[in-house]
Amino acid sequence: MTRIINIAGNNGSGKTALALNLGIALTNKGKDVLLFDGNIYSPDIANYSDISPSIFLNEFLEGEKNIEETILFHPTGMKIIPSMGEEEYNLEKHKKINQALLSLIGKAEIILVDSFSHSPPLFSVVDNADETIFITNQPNQKPYINPRIGDEIS
């Protein structure tokens, strides 16, 4: 059974760093993990994970690819669906993000969603998730980002 874990919070709160590190840790523990970059307005999974994707979630959102074609592999073996930044708000794309999540059930044991913040469609992602982790931070405090991300987590 697939478990969907949504990671949400303010911009700059550390959602991406948590999602990537948690995904790597779970993968290293033998779990089949898919990291889904659902933050189409400021996506960072590709940058943080040090991969150079040639395909993105956006191609699924535009109807150019099926969702399975957008799955890439991190050096740890974790599956990743990266995103490219979108400039304009598009409710239809948000609906497709939720459709994609539901269609990925059975493709991994755990789907970690690096989610967007402050958007009404966030609630539909929350509704599809089995669990949601809300990240908060102090005002003006920057999250710690491990410069050696991808190394084994103890």
Side-chain angles (χ1 to χ4, degrees), residues 86-142:
E86 294 278 337
E87 293 185 18
E88 294 183 22
Y89 178 85
N90 185 317
L91 183 59
E92 289 306 310
K93 288 185 179 179
H94 288 284
K95 290 177 184 177
K96 285 185 176 184
I97 287 172
N98 292 308
Q99 292 169 358
L101 279 173
L102 293 175
S103 70
L104 289 167
I105 291 174
K107 306 287 185 210
E109 287 178 77
I110 300 169
I111 299 173
L112 296 173
V113 182
D114 183 11
S115 192
F116 41 88
S117 58
H118 303 300
S119 177
L122 169 65
F123 297 109
S124 53
V125 174
V126 171
D127 287 344
N128 288 333
D130 297 297
E131 300 168 57
T132 296
I133 300 171
F134 287 98
I135 307 301
T136 61
N137 60 356
Q138 297 294 322
N140 302 319
Q141 177 184 357
K142 295 188 180 204

